[in-house]
Amino acid sequence: MKWRVVLFSLLVSLLIIQFGMCQKVEPDLKTKAEKRPNGKSKSGKGPGKTPASKPKVKTTPETPKEAQTYLTQVVNKGRFQKAGDTLTVHAGDTLELRCKGNPVEWAVPAYLEEDDEGRLRTVQHERYRTLFLANSTAADTGEFTCYPMYCEDKDCRKQYDKGVKVFIFFSDPQELFVPSADYYEVIQLRTSWPTVLPCQVTSPLAKVTLHQEFPPVEVKVDGREISFDVKKGFTIHRPKQYHAGSLYCVASLGNLRQSSTKYMLIYVNYPAAPPSPAIQASSDTVAVGQNLQVTCTVIGKQDVVVDFTWEYPGQKIGRPLYTQDSVQTVQVDGQNRQRTQTILLVDEVREVDQGTYTCTAQNLEGSRSASTSVKVQQSARTNTKPKKP
């Protein structure tokens, strides 16, 4: 029994000693953990070596975006609103616009550019340029544009592709159309060239129609052949002969109805390109005393006027110019075309007539030339020497 008690006491003692050793090791582990530097060391590195730090990545600063130009209308003192595509201002009010940027320049309607009453002025500030228009009238209606400037040293130019535009209507209860000093305005209608009838209204709310004077009838506006834009007027997209005549616009707003300036439309069959003349001489070699003909021909659209001019060797001695001109309709590839022709006549050729003949054909679009050379030979009679008696 004694030896069992002794054995039990030994076992208890061993357990107490082991427990004490565990308590001693645990603080040592904590101490080592506290001394370990932050960051993970790579495998294979011995103790005491500083772990490699990650390389710093250089960040490229973003390129600052170019400041965008925009327009702001000063409504009241301390109140602003961003300008859209159009603005409406009551005639008589003062217009104040701000354009962000430095430097920037303003472009205004042509009527205001000629204004010498001091109603219009602009002021450049640190971050914007202000436009002031005092005592506004219906005639001031039009497009206002702000252009940012690109400068190199003292040389500055407008950046037209970055201009910001706003169309401003200066509404006047007594003037539905922008006033004009002309009772009649002549407008040329050109083939395949859009033509604008600038009956500009002062209010975007006005209803506008197009009318023919003789016979008095309203002209149909279908949006394809003829269209209307409140900022421009009526556009005839592909003018034809039947569009010619006297036309005018009528605007109505509420109980007010007014007519515009009358537009006298004159149709011109406008060519698409300068003429292309072809030149040919009756003979490349002519004997003295014979007759010579040099023909210049242009084939083109009908009803297009072509003018000819000549340069020829005989001009140097004042030899007069004789020509025969003609205009005919001919068939070319199954279509009616116009043949305009001029023939230069040289009677009884002399040695001075040898050289280059040039024909220049001109229409409303421009001119082109064609040339040919002619050689003059002595006749057999001229070369025969008289026999001695």
Side-chain angles (χ1 to χ4, degrees), residues 3-299:
W3 64 270
R4 290 183 180 177
V5 173
V6 173
L7 183 60
F8 178 78
S9 299
L10 289 172
L11 289 173
V12 172
S13 298
L14 288 173
L15 288 172
I16 291 171
I17 292 169
Q18 189 173 2
F19 179 78
M21 293 295 291
C22 290
Q23 291 295 322
K24 187 177 180 180
V25 171
E26 190 172 20
D28 291 341
L29 292 173
K30 288 183 180 179
T31 304
K32 289 180 181 179
E34 289 173 358
K35 291 181 180 179
R36 183 178 299 165
N38 291 332
K40 296 179 181 179
S41 61
K42 294 184 179 179
S43 60
K45 296 287 181 182
K49 292 187 179 180
T50 306
S53 59
K54 293 183 179 180
K56 294 182 180 180
V57 179
K58 292 184 179 180
T59 57
T60 304
E62 293 184 3
T63 304
K65 293 183 179 179
E66 186 174 348
Q68 184 178 4
T69 304
Y70 62 87
L71 302 180
T72 305
Q73 181 188 11
V74 181
V75 183
N76 285 318
K77 195 170 183 180
R79 283 189 57 206
F80 309 93
Q81 70 176 16
K82 190 173 181 179
D85 292 335
T86 62
L87 285 177
T88 301
V89 178
H90 294 292
D93 290 353
T94 297
L95 171 69
E96 183 178 346
L97 291 176
R98 289 184 178 182
C99 177
K100 183 182 177 183
N102 186 3
V104 293
E105 286 291 338
W106 284 97
V108 297
Y111 173 82
L112 279 174
E113 288 181 355
E114 300 170 0
D115 180 79
D116 56 358
E117 299 176 0
R119 298 187 302 121
L120 176 70
R121 64 187 180 94
T122 62
V123 180
Q124 180 68 62
H125 299 275
E126 183 180 355
R127 296 184 179 179
Y128 59 89
R129 192 179 191 95
T130 306
L131 178 145
F132 296 95
L133 177 61
N135 302 322
S136 61
T137 68
D140 299 330
T141 297
E143 190 172 71
F144 291 70
T145 308
C146 175
Y147 294 104
M149 305 293 288
Y150 176 77
C151 297
E152 293 180 351
D153 296 330
K154 294 183 180 180
D155 183 23
C156 295
R157 63 178 182 271
K158 293 178 182 178
Q159 295 180 288
Y160 289 96
D161 58 331
K162 297 180 181 178
V164 183
K165 302 178 181 180
V166 58
F167 194 95
I168 303 180
F169 297 92
F170 290 91
S171 61
D172 188 331
Q174 302 302 319
E175 294 281 357
L176 294 183
F177 288 104
V178 173
S180 173
D182 299 323
Y183 182 72
Y184 264 103
E185 184 176 339
V186 177
I187 296 178
Q188 192 178 81
L189 297 175
R190 298 180 178 183
T191 309
S192 303
W193 284 58
T195 301
V196 176
L197 279 61
C199 43
Q200 178 61 62
V201 290
T202 61
S203 171
L205 303 178
K207 181 182 178 182
V208 188
T209 52
L210 183 62
H211 297 259
Q212 184 175 303
E213 190 173 19
F214 303 109
V217 63
E218 181 177 340
V219 178
K220 182 181 178 181
V221 178
D222 58 5
R224 295 187 302 273
E225 185 176 351
I226 302 177
S227 63
F228 177 72
D229 185 339
V230 72
K231 295 186 289 185
K232 291 195 303 183
F234 290 96
T235 300
I236 304 175
H237 294 279
R238 296 182 66 85
K240 297 288 188 285
Q241 180 69 48
Y242 58 80
H243 290 131
S246 178
L247 276 71
Y248 62 96
C249 306
V250 174
S252 56
L253 182 61
N255 296 325
L256 184 62
R257 179 182 171 91
Q258 290 181 342
S259 298
S260 71
T261 295
K262 289 184 172 60
Y263 302 101
M264 182 60 67
L265 306 184
I266 301 174
Y267 179 77
V268 177
N269 196 348
Y270 209 83
S276 298
I279 192 169
Q280 185 176 7
S282 55
S283 177
D284 295 338
T285 303
V286 184
V288 171
Q290 292 183 338
N291 294 336
L292 172 67
Q293 294 184 355
V294 184
T295 304
C296 186
T297 307
V298 170
I299 304 294

